[in-house]
């Protein structure tokens, strides 16, 4: 028979073991489990479910950017670059090689492969999902521009027709993802997830800056035979995204009204930002309303005829 001291020690050990077991059960609930088991890159590492969801959601935009840039620059999409990254998802609708100047084609090619890298980076961190059905057809881009200008265009806008049209179409896409990354950042719980997002945000911001700069240089250039300048088109696109996002002004064209530029000192607005020149943020709900073209995250359409994927997007479609 043990001494009172040894009995007390044994009781403490039992209590500690019970507490550890209960904590382990709590951790099972707190951390991601299949089919969303957090981290798939390095063995033994895991992310909380909320981080997994926030990192998976941007795959929708990254797939979209990859397909548009690659088709425009190279004349083929992700299937021809690395079919494994598609996850077996359906081929995109309407992609084609764009008629670009050598300089713009070079930029678009770099963007294409940068987006492929983004897909790899995200999928090395979270499981992800197959590429959703994407509509990158000239007809779909034409509808967006007509919606922005509130006019029927003749001939219809075609993003693949020339470099200016391609840059205008490019203005539509990366900035939306950029604002999504800014919005997701404060919600991430782990340094690993925040590091990945910061890397993605840095390059997406740079892409948007390049696109805006090339368009700003062409600000007064007329778009086809529509009688509208490039800068005016970007303002209409930004207004449309603000309307579809339904959360106020989080988007600005290349030229703004007096007093609305950085520190109120310019009307030129080559980089969009708030009154402190900080990047705007958007929620997944806002982003879905914009890329669906409906203003409603529960009503798919636009670039995503069958809806976006991932837990966050699917919750709106239930």
């Amino acid at each position: 028979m043990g001494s009172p001291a040894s009995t007390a020690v044994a009781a403490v050990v039992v209590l500690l073991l019970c507490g550890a077991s209960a904590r382990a059960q709590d951790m099972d609930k707190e951390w991601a489990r299949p089919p969303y088991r957090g981290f798939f890159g390095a063995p033994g590492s895991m992310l909380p479910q909320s981080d997994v969801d926030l990192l998976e959601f941007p795959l929708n935009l990254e797939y979209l950017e990859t397909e548009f840039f690659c088709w425009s620059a190279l004349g083929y999409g992700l299937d021809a670059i690395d079919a494994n990254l598609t996850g077996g998802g359906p081929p995109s609708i309407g992609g084609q090689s764009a008629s670009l100047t050598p300089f713009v084609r070079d930029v678009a090619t770099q963007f294409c492969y940068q987006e492929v890298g983004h897909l790899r980076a995200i999928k090395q961190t979270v499981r992800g999902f197959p590429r959703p059905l994407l509509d990158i057809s000239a007809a779909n881009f034409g509808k967006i521009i007509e919606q922005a200008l509130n006019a029927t265009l003749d001939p219809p806008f075609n993003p693949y027709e020339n470099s200016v049209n391609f840059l205008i179409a490019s203005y539509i896409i990366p900035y939306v993802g950029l604002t999504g990354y800014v919005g997701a950042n404060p919600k991430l719980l782990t340094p690993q997830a925040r590091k990945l997002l910061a890397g993605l945000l840095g390059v997406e911001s740079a892409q948007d800056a390049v696109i805006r700069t090339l368009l700003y240089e062409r600000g007064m250039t007329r778009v086809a035979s529509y009688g509208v300048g490039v800068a005016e088109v970007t303002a209409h696109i930004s207004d449309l995204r603000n309307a579809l996002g339904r959360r106020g002004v989080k988007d600005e064209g290349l030229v703004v009204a007096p007093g609305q530029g950085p520190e109120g000192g310019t009307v030129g607005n080559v980089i969009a930002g708030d009154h402190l020149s900080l990047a705007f943020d958007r929620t997944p709900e806002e982003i879905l309303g914009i890329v669906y073209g409906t203003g409603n995250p529960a009503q798919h359409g636009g670039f995503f005829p069958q809806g976006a994927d991932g837990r966050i997007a699917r919750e709106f479609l239930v």
Side-chain angles (χ1 to χ4, degrees):
M1 186 172 178
S3 66
S6 62
T7 301
V9 170
V12 170
V13 170
V14 169
L15 287 173
L16 289 174
L17 288 174
C18 290
S21 176
R23 178 56 182 156
Q25 291 176 359
D26 290 341
M27 290 287 286
D28 280 348
K29 298 176 183 177
E30 178 181 352
W31 297 89
R33 291 301 184 216
Y36 297 89
R37 183 192 290 277
F39 193 82
F40 282 85
S45 298
M46 300 186 75
L47 294 177
Q49 183 69 65
S50 59
D51 279 10
V52 173
D53 292 344
L54 289 169
L55 292 178
E56 283 193 330
F57 178 77
L59 277 173
N60 291 294
L61 278 298
E62 298 292 352
Y63 276 129
L64 175 60
E65 294 172 48
T66 300
E67 290 296 314
F68 178 62
F69 289 137
C70 291
W71 270 105
S72 297
L74 306 175
Y76 50 81
L78 186 59
D79 296 86
I81 297 172
D82 189 343
N84 289 330
L85 286 175
T86 71
S92 298
I93 300 170
Q96 58 183 282
S97 177
S99 179
L100 306 175
T101 64
F103 176 79
V104 174
R105 187 174 302 280
D106 179 40
V107 171
T109 301
Q110 293 178 51
F111 285 3
C112 160
Y113 287 119
Q114 288 166 2
E115 296 304 331
V116 173
H118 289 180
L119 291 175
R120 294 190 198 281
I122 295 174
K123 288 194 167 192
Q124 286 173 4
T125 306
V126 293
R127 176 172 293 177
F129 47 80
R131 175 185 58 199
L133 181 64
L134 301 168
D135 187 350
I136 56 171
S137 65
N140 187 47
F141 277 98
K143 290 177 183 177
I144 294 170
I145 297 300
E146 289 189 348
Q147 187 179 6
L149 296 177
N150 193 28
T152 300
L153 302 179
D154 185 20
F157 177 85
N158 182 349
Y160 303 105
E161 184 175 348
N162 55 55
S163 291
V164 171
N165 284 15
F166 165 77
L167 290 171
I168 289 172
S170 298
Y171 179 91
I172 295 172
I173 304 174
Y175 181 75
V176 178
L178 180 165
T179 57
Y181 284 133
V182 176
N185 179 57
K187 300 176 183 177
L188 293 171
L189 302 178
T190 60
Q192 182 183 11
R194 289 195 293 269
K195 179 180 178 181
L196 173 60
L197 184 141
L200 294 165
L201 174 59
V203 174
E204 292 292 327
S205 300
Q207 289 178 349
D208 184 63
V210 169
I211 292 165
R212 291 180 70 99
T213 300
L214 293 176
L215 286 171
Y216 189 73
E217 186 180 26
R218 297 164 170 81
M220 300 306 295
T221 301
R222 294 294 169 182
V223 182
S225 57
Y226 307 143
V228 181
V230 166
E232 185 177 350
V233 173
T234 65
H236 284 299
I237 293 171
S238 289
D239 288 344
L240 174 62
R241 290 191 296 213
N242 284 328
L244 294 174
R246 300 182 177 182
R247 292 293 187 277
V249 175
K250 297 188 177 183
D251 220 307
E252 297 173 332
L254 298 173
V255 177
V256 293
Q260 293 183 3
E263 292 296 305
T266 72
V267 295
N269 196 46
V270 69
I271 302 295
D274 66 11
H275 69 288
L276 295 176
S277 292
L278 301 178
F280 292 104
D281 65 290
R282 282 192 169 111
T283 65
E285 181 178 0
E286 295 171 67
I287 290 171
L288 291 172
I290 292 169
V291 297
Y292 288 170
T294 62
N296 183 350
Q299 183 181 351
H300 54 72
F303 291 116
F304 295 85
Q306 297 177 354
D309 207 344
R311 293 211 325 165
I312 292 176
R314 289 198 305 270
E315 285 177 355
F316 287 107
L317 296 175
V318 174

Coordinates of all heavy atoms in Angstrom, one line a residue, residues 43 111 133 202 213 271 290:
P43 N 4.7 17.7 -43.2 CA 4.1 16.8 -42.3 C 4.1 17.4 -40.9 O 5.1 18.0 -40.5 CB 5.0 15.6 -42.4 CG 5.6 15.6 -43.8 CD 5.8 17.1 -44.0
F111 N 2.5 37.5 -66.2 CA 1.3 37.4 -65.3 C 0.8 35.9 -65.3 O 0.4 35.4 -64.2 CB 0.2 38.3 -65.7 CG 0.5 39.8 -65.4 CD1 1.6 40.2 -64.8 CD2 -0.5 40.7 -65.7 CE1 1.8 41.5 -64.5 CE2 -0.3 42.1 -65.4 CZ 0.8 42.5 -64.8
L133 N -16.0 25.9 -63.3 CA -16.2 26.4 -64.6 C -16.1 27.9 -64.7 O -16.7 28.6 -63.9 CB -17.6 25.9 -65.1 CG -18.1 26.3 -66.5 CD1 -17.2 25.6 -67.5 CD2 -19.5 26.0 -66.7
G202 N 1.4 40.8 -52.3 CA 2.4 41.6 -52.9 C 2.4 41.6 -54.4 O 2.5 42.6 -55.1
T213 N -0.9 51.4 -64.5 CA 0.1 52.3 -65.1 C 0.0 52.3 -66.6 O 0.1 53.4 -67.3 CB 1.5 51.9 -64.6 OG1 1.6 52.0 -63.2 CG2 2.6 52.9 -65.2
I271 N -2.7 54.6 -58.6 CA -2.9 53.5 -57.6 C -4.1 53.9 -56.8 O -4.2 54.9 -56.2 CB -1.7 53.4 -56.7 CG1 -0.4 53.2 -57.5 CG2 -1.9 52.3 -55.6 CD1 -0.4 51.8 -58.2
I290 N -19.5 40.6 -57.1 CA -18.8 41.3 -58.2 C -18.5 40.3 -59.3 O -18.8 40.6 -60.5 CB -17.5 42.0 -57.7 CG1 -17.9 43.2 -56.8 CG2 -16.7 42.5 -58.9 CD1 -16.7 43.7 -56.0

